[in-house]
Amino acid sequence: VFELDCTILTDKKVLDASGHTAKFCDKMMTSKDGLDFVRADHILEDWIEHRLEAPGVNAALAQELNDVLARIDDMSLPELDAALRKYFVPKPAAAAAAAAAPGAKKDKKADAAAAAAAAAAPAKVPVYDDEWQPAKDFNLMFGTGIGPSGNSPGFLRPETAQGMFVNFKRLLDYAGGKLPFGAAQIGKAFRNEINPQQGLLRVREFWLAEVEFFVHPNRSEHDRFDRIADVEVRLFGRERQLGDRKYDVVTIREAVARGIIRSQTLAYFMARTWLFLASVGASKQYMRFRQHLPNEMAHYARDCWDAELLTSYGWIEVVGHADRAAYDLNAHQDASGHKLDVYESWQQADWKPYDAVAAKLNKGAIGKAFKQQAQELISALEKLGKDDAVALEAKLAADGKAPFGGVELTRDMASFAIEKAFHKGETVQPAVIEPAFGIGRIMYCVFEHSFRQRAVEKETEKRNYLSLPVSVAPVKFSVLPLKPSQASHRDVAERVENLLVANGISCKVDGVNETIGRRYARTDEIGIPFGITIDDDTVDKAHADFDSVTLRDRDSMQQVRVKLAELEKVVDSIIKQRMAWSDVVNTLKLPIWEAK
Ligand code: AMP
């Protein structure tokens, strides 16, 4: 997999070819006065969820509402519009006023349950005027004019993928002309979201990390599949979503064998994503893969599975996995007129025999006889298919002459034989498997999944801490002189800081004159996994633990004493994750230290 860094500004021609100018849209609803805009699918979802919670919902209605909920992402514009009108929740005040008005007509739009829902609508349920313009497609790309005249239209890229497709030929060269290979890119993407909200979860400018993995279109195997085949994942396939809404908890091997995931390569990347998310701090119990419903898929995709994490906002899509088939390369090939394909040579054992026509032509005789027409005749004779060549040869052999292309050929001008030949390879347009990671979303979810609280002795309020894995914690160690006012404590703290910095390990010295408990709490809160404390034992020869510091684990709050001379080795082992905390304690037999 090769890393690329392509341009953000993208010529319109590229995005015309990829289909983004025509189809990269969300469904939007606009208020009658044209001042309010909402994602039509989101507001319908909110309304239905609200109606499910409202009083007066019988089992049949609940079933109906749940069915609609499961299908929202799959709805076409007219279907969505019809559902919006059917399940509309009017503004509570307006509904109450309308109901109270003398001679008020029966509300045709809302049934009794809807009226009850409206009256009980809490402030957080989005409400809307009861009239709006029909839902329509809204293109999410930010347009701009490129160059001083501004006449060359372009866009800020809505995904990093297109840069990798238009560089396909270079990537192929780099890969030695052989499939499979991949390209990866991390960079900013821009989408003019209709309702950006929920912090990092929906923003108009965000970090995207994408892999485009090019594979043979008819081969779905991945040569490293066995390495991840036993990873167990939670799958929420299409049929399940529209049926019993249960999960399949299966190994990746089983998911492919049962056809739940259609290709080994797609499954391989999904497993890698699962392991990655767990390694950066997402809880497996709040992780799932949800398959897109047919109409939900982006215009370029053949199959899609989103890695989703459960948060206080509900299930959030953090990584998309799309089987884009040959859509993009095909589209760019058509638009540019440049071939974006791969010639694959086969092993000799796989060569495919065929009957080839060997034509022997006496070009001199043909030229002499047919003058200007000769060249046309020669190229037609050279292109003869097997059956025509056999028939012409038979006629020439039998009669010494044969009609061809409006003239009469004679035996001396041409003869044909059928010989064995081999197809030794083929030209294919690669299919593409694409995992796309939304960095901001992953970070937000990891923060939620890492958030913990614990009770602390003598304190009424629980303390918060962030249990970030060592690999992603931005600061790995805090360095804490117990008595910051004492020069000897500060000196050792500085030595420890220098040692960490020299080893490329991030650290934060907290020399504020506060209780050590407060300082630990502060470093725990920002997720620093380990603390090194310099105390009287460190600096005072008279103490048994002279020349050692304490090393504290954020999650267990356990401390051990480490000789200063050993510190570099211990720290290095932890950081390179050769050692978990329990190993630090057990293997290195470091003495547990209890604060006196
Ligand atoms: P997509 O190309 O739509 O599958 O998006 C790929 C990934 O980008 C998603 O899984 C999200 O994690 C992330 N993403 C998409 N849109 C946004 C957005 N507006 N704000 C933040 N992250 C986003």
Side-chain angles (χ1 to χ4, degrees), residues 93-152:
K105 277 196 264 158
K106 192 161 168 14
D107 185 355
K108 285 192 189 135
K109 277 196 192 114
D111 56 26
K124 77 176 182 43
V125 172
V127 288
Y128 215 65
D129 288 320
D130 63 350
E131 292 193 58
W132 60 85
Q133 301 170 28
K136 60 174 190 177
D137 278 330
F138 172 73
N139 194 291
L140 296 180
M141 292 197 297
F142 287 101
T144 185
I146 301 175
S149 68
N151 287 341
S152 289

Coordinates of all heavy atoms in Angstrom, one line a residue, residues 93-152:
A93 N -47.5 24.0 20.1 CA -48.4 25.1 20.3 C -49.4 25.2 19.2 O -50.6 25.4 19.4 CB -47.6 26.4 20.4
A94 N -48.9 25.0 18.0 CA -49.8 25.1 16.8 C -50.9 24.1 16.9 O -52.0 24.3 16.6 CB -49.0 25.0 15.6
A95 N -50.4 22.8 17.3 CA -51.4 21.7 17.3 C -52.4 22.0 18.4 O -53.6 21.8 18.2 CB -50.6 20.4 17.7
A96 N -52.0 22.5 19.6 CA -53.0 22.7 20.6 C -53.9 23.8 20.2 O -55.2 23.7 20.4 CB -52.2 23.2 21.9
A97 N -53.4 24.9 19.6 CA -54.3 26.0 19.2 C -55.3 25.5 18.2 O -56.5 25.8 18.2 CB -53.4 27.1 18.6
A98 N -54.8 24.7 17.2 CA -55.7 24.2 16.2 C -56.8 23.4 16.8 O -58.0 23.5 16.4 CB -54.9 23.5 15.1
A99 N -56.4 22.5 17.7 CA -57.4 21.6 18.3 C -58.4 22.4 19.1 O -59.6 22.0 19.2 CB -56.7 20.6 19.2
A100 N -58.0 23.5 19.8 CA -58.9 24.3 20.6 C -59.8 25.2 19.8 O -60.8 25.7 20.3 CB -58.0 25.0 21.6
A101 N -59.4 25.5 18.6 CA -60.1 26.5 17.9 C -61.6 26.1 17.7 O -61.8 24.9 17.4 CB -59.4 26.7 16.5
P102 N -62.6 27.0 17.9 CA -63.9 26.6 17.7 C -64.2 26.1 16.2 O -63.7 26.8 15.3 CB -64.8 27.9 18.0 CG -63.8 29.0 18.2 CD -62.4 28.4 18.2
G103 N -64.8 25.1 16.1 CA -65.1 24.5 14.8 C -63.9 24.0 14.0 O -63.9 24.0 12.8
A104 N -62.8 23.7 14.8 CA -61.6 23.2 14.2 C -61.9 22.0 13.4 O -62.6 21.1 13.8 CB -60.5 23.0 15.2
K105 N -61.3 21.9 12.2 CA -61.5 20.7 11.3 C -60.6 19.6 11.9 O -59.6 19.9 12.5 CB -61.1 21.1 9.9 CG -62.3 21.8 9.2 CD -62.0 21.7 7.7 CE -61.4 23.0 7.2 NZ -60.7 23.1 6.1
K106 N -61.1 18.4 11.6 CA -60.3 17.3 12.1 C -58.9 17.3 11.3 O -58.9 17.6 10.1 CB -61.0 16.0 11.8 CG -60.3 14.8 12.5 CD -61.2 13.7 12.6 CE -60.5 12.4 13.1 NZ -59.2 12.6 13.6
D107 N -57.8 17.2 12.1 CA -56.5 17.2 11.5 C -56.3 16.0 10.6 O -56.2 14.9 11.1 CB -55.4 17.2 12.6 CG -54.1 17.4 12.0 OD1 -53.9 17.4 10.8 OD2 -53.1 17.6 12.8
K108 N -56.3 16.2 9.3 CA -56.2 15.1 8.4 C -54.8 14.5 8.4 O -54.6 13.3 8.1 CB -56.6 15.5 7.0 CG -58.1 15.7 6.9 CD -58.5 15.8 5.4 CE -59.9 16.2 5.4 NZ -60.2 17.3 4.4
K109 N -53.8 15.3 8.6 CA -52.4 14.9 8.5 C -52.0 13.9 9.6 O -51.3 13.0 9.5 CB -51.5 16.0 8.5 CG -51.4 16.7 7.1 CD -50.1 17.5 7.1 CE -50.1 18.4 5.8 NZ -50.3 19.8 6.1
A110 N -52.5 14.3 10.8 CA -52.0 13.5 12.0 C -53.2 12.7 12.5 O -54.3 13.2 12.7 CB -51.5 14.5 13.0
D111 N -52.9 11.4 12.8 CA -53.9 10.6 13.4 C -53.9 10.9 14.9 O -53.1 11.8 15.4 CB -53.7 9.1 13.2 CG -52.3 8.7 13.6 OD1 -51.7 9.3 14.5 OD2 -51.8 7.7 13.0
A112 N -54.7 10.2 15.7 CA -54.8 10.6 17.1 C -53.5 10.5 17.8 O -53.1 11.3 18.6 CB -55.9 9.7 17.8
A113 N -52.8 9.4 17.5 CA -51.5 9.2 18.2 C -50.5 10.4 17.9 O -49.8 10.8 18.7 CB -50.9 7.9 17.8
A114 N -50.6 10.9 16.6 CA -49.7 12.0 16.2 C -50.1 13.2 17.0 O -49.2 14.0 17.4 CB -49.8 12.2 14.7
A115 N -51.4 13.4 17.2 CA -51.8 14.6 17.9 C -51.3 14.6 19.3 O -50.7 15.5 19.9 CB -53.3 14.8 17.9
A116 N -51.4 13.3 19.9 CA -50.9 13.2 21.3 C -49.4 13.4 21.4 O -48.9 14.1 22.2 CB -51.3 11.8 21.8
A117 N -48.7 12.9 20.4 CA -47.3 13.0 20.3 C -46.9 14.5 20.2 O -46.0 15.0 20.9 CB -46.7 12.3 19.1
A118 N -47.6 15.2 19.4 CA -47.3 16.6 19.2 C -47.5 17.4 20.5 O -46.7 18.2 20.9 CB -48.2 17.2 18.1
A119 N -48.7 17.1 21.2 CA -48.9 17.8 22.4 C -47.9 17.6 23.4 O -47.6 18.4 24.3 CB -50.3 17.5 22.9
A120 N -47.3 16.4 23.4 CA -46.3 16.0 24.4 C -44.9 16.3 24.0 O -43.9 15.9 24.7 CB -46.5 14.5 24.8
A121 N -44.7 16.8 22.8 CA -43.4 16.9 22.2 C -42.4 17.7 23.1 O -42.7 18.9 23.4 CB -43.4 17.6 20.9
P122 N -41.4 17.1 23.6 CA -40.4 17.9 24.4 C -39.6 18.8 23.5 O -39.6 18.6 22.3 CB -39.5 16.8 25.0 CG -39.6 15.7 24.1 CD -41.0 15.7 23.4
A123 N -39.0 19.8 24.1 CA -38.4 20.8 23.3 C -37.3 20.3 22.4 O -37.1 20.8 21.3 CB -37.7 21.8 24.3
K124 N -36.7 19.1 22.8 CA -35.6 18.6 22.0 C -36.1 18.0 20.6 O -35.3 17.8 19.7 CB -34.7 17.7 22.7 CG -35.3 16.3 22.9 CD -34.2 15.5 23.6 CE -34.5 14.0 23.9 NZ -35.1 13.2 22.9
V125 N -37.4 17.7 20.5 CA -37.8 17.1 19.3 C -37.9 18.3 18.2 O -38.6 19.2 18.4 CB -39.2 16.5 19.4 CG1 -39.7 16.0 18.1 CG2 -39.0 15.3 20.4
P126 N -37.2 18.1 17.1 CA -37.3 19.2 16.1 C -38.7 19.3 15.6 O -39.3 18.3 15.2 CB -36.3 18.7 15.0 CG -36.1 17.3 15.3 CD -36.4 17.0 16.7
V127 N -39.3 20.4 15.5 CA -40.6 20.6 15.0 C -40.5 21.5 13.7 O -39.4 22.1 13.5 CB -41.5 21.3 16.0 CG1 -41.9 20.3 17.1 CG2 -41.0 22.5 16.6
Y128 N -41.5 21.6 13.0 CA -41.4 22.3 11.7 C -42.8 22.8 11.4 O -43.8 22.3 11.9 CB -41.0 21.3 10.7 CG -40.1 21.8 9.6 CD1 -38.8 22.3 10.0 CD2 -40.5 21.9 8.3 CE1 -38.0 22.9 9.1 CE2 -39.6 22.4 7.4 CZ -38.4 22.9 7.7 OH -37.6 23.5 6.8
D129 N -42.8 23.9 10.6 CA -44.1 24.3 10.1 C -44.8 23.2 9.4 O -44.2 22.3 8.9 CB -43.9 25.5 9.1 CG -43.5 26.7 9.9 OD1 -44.0 27.0 11.0 OD2 -42.6 27.4 9.4
D130 N -46.1 23.2 9.4 CA -46.8 22.1 8.7 C -46.8 22.3 7.2 O -47.4 21.5 6.5 CB -48.2 21.9 9.3 CG -49.1 23.1 9.0 OD1 -48.6 24.1 8.6 OD2 -50.3 23.0 9.3
E131 N -46.1 23.3 6.7 CA -45.9 23.3 5.3 C -44.5 23.5 5.0 O -43.8 24.2 5.6 CB -46.7 24.5 4.7 CG -48.2 24.4 4.9 CD -48.9 25.4 4.1 OE1 -48.7 25.4 2.8 OE2 -49.7 26.2 4.7
W132 N -44.0 22.7 4.0 CA -42.6 22.9 3.6 C -42.6 22.5 2.1 O -43.5 22.0 1.5 CB -41.7 22.0 4.4 CG -42.1 20.5 4.3 CD1 -41.7 19.6 3.4 CD2 -42.9 19.8 5.2 NE1 -42.2 18.4 3.6 CE2 -43.0 18.4 4.7 CE3 -43.6 20.1 6.4 CZ2 -43.7 17.4 5.3 CZ3 -44.3 19.1 7.0 CH2 -44.4 17.8 6.5
Q133 N -41.5 22.9 1.5 CA -41.3 22.5 0.1 C -40.9 21.0 0.1 O -40.3 20.5 1.0 CB -40.2 23.4 -0.5 CG -40.5 24.8 -0.4 CD -39.3 25.7 -0.7 OE1 -38.5 25.3 -1.5 NE2 -39.2 26.9 -0.2
P134 N -41.3 20.4 -1.0 CA -41.0 18.9 -1.1 C -39.5 18.7 -0.9 O -38.7 19.5 -1.3 CB -41.4 18.6 -2.6 CG -42.3 19.6 -3.0 CD -41.9 20.9 -2.2
A135 N -39.2 17.6 -0.3 CA -37.7 17.2 -0.1 C -37.0 17.1 -1.4 O -37.6 16.7 -2.4 CB -37.6 15.9 0.7
K136 N -35.8 17.6 -1.5 CA -35.1 17.5 -2.7 C -33.6 17.2 -2.4 O -33.1 17.3 -1.3 CB -35.2 18.8 -3.5 CG -34.7 20.0 -2.8 CD -34.7 21.2 -3.7 CE -33.9 22.3 -3.1 NZ -33.8 23.5 -3.7
D137 N -32.9 16.8 -3.5 CA -31.5 16.5 -3.4 C -30.7 17.8 -3.2 O -30.9 18.8 -4.0 CB -31.0 15.8 -4.6 CG -31.3 14.3 -4.5 OD1 -31.4 13.7 -3.4 OD2 -31.5 13.6 -5.6
F138 N -29.7 17.8 -2.3 CA -28.8 18.9 -2.1 C -27.4 18.4 -2.3 O -26.9 17.6 -1.5 CB -29.0 19.5 -0.7 CG -28.0 20.6 -0.4 CD1 -28.1 21.9 -1.0 CD2 -27.0 20.4 0.5 CE1 -27.2 22.8 -0.7 CE2 -26.1 21.3 0.8 CZ -26.2 22.6 0.2
N139 N -26.6 19.0 -3.3 CA -25.3 18.5 -3.5 C -24.4 19.1 -2.4 O -24.4 20.3 -2.0 CB -24.8 19.0 -4.9 CG -23.5 18.2 -5.2 OD1 -22.5 18.5 -4.6 ND2 -23.6 17.3 -6.2
L140 N -23.5 18.2 -1.8 CA -22.7 18.5 -0.7 C -21.4 19.2 -1.0 O -20.6 19.4 0.0 CB -22.5 17.3 0.2 CG -23.8 16.6 0.8 CD1 -23.4 15.4 1.6 CD2 -24.5 17.6 1.7
M141 N -21.0 19.4 -2.2 CA -19.7 19.8 -2.5 C -19.6 21.4 -2.5 O -20.5 22.1 -2.9 CB -19.2 19.3 -3.9 CG -19.0 17.8 -3.8 SD -18.0 17.3 -5.3 CE -19.1 17.7 -6.6
F142 N -18.4 21.9 -2.0 CA -18.1 23.3 -2.1 C -17.5 23.6 -3.4 O -16.4 23.1 -3.7 CB -17.1 23.7 -1.0 CG -17.7 23.6 0.4 CD1 -17.4 22.5 1.3 CD2 -18.4 24.7 0.9 CE1 -17.9 22.5 2.6 CE2 -18.9 24.7 2.2 CZ -18.7 23.6 3.0
G143 N -18.2 24.5 -4.2 CA -17.6 24.8 -5.5 C -16.7 26.0 -5.4 O -16.8 26.9 -4.5
T144 N -15.9 26.2 -6.4 CA -15.0 27.4 -6.5 C -14.6 27.6 -8.0 O -14.8 26.7 -8.8 CB -13.8 27.3 -5.6 OG1 -13.1 28.5 -5.6 CG2 -12.9 26.2 -6.0
G145 N -14.0 28.7 -8.3 CA -13.5 29.0 -9.6 C -12.0 28.9 -9.5 O -11.4 29.5 -8.7
I146 N -11.4 28.1 -10.4 CA -9.9 28.0 -10.4 C -9.3 28.9 -11.4 O -9.8 29.0 -12.5 CB -9.5 26.5 -10.6 CG1 -10.2 25.6 -9.6 CG2 -8.0 26.3 -10.6 CD1 -9.9 24.1 -9.8
G147 N -8.2 29.6 -11.0 CA -7.5 30.5 -11.9 C -8.1 31.9 -11.8 O -9.2 32.1 -11.3
P148 N -7.3 32.9 -12.4 CA -7.7 34.3 -12.2 C -9.1 34.6 -12.9 O -9.8 35.4 -12.4 CB -6.6 35.0 -12.9 CG -5.8 34.0 -13.7 CD -6.1 32.7 -13.1
S149 N -9.4 33.9 -13.9 CA -10.7 34.2 -14.6 C -11.8 33.6 -13.8 O -13.0 34.0 -13.9 CB -10.7 33.7 -16.0 OG -10.7 32.3 -15.9
G150 N -11.5 32.6 -13.0 CA -12.5 31.8 -12.3 C -13.4 31.0 -13.2 O -14.4 30.5 -12.8
N151 N -12.9 30.9 -14.5 CA -13.7 30.2 -15.4 C -13.6 28.7 -15.4 O -14.3 28.0 -16.1 CB -13.4 30.7 -16.9 CG -14.0 32.0 -17.1 OD1 -14.9 32.4 -16.3 ND2 -13.5 32.8 -18.1
S152 N -12.6 28.2 -14.7 CA -12.4 26.7 -14.6 C -13.0 26.3 -13.3 O -12.5 26.4 -12.2 CB -10.9 26.3 -14.6 OG -10.4 26.6 -15.8

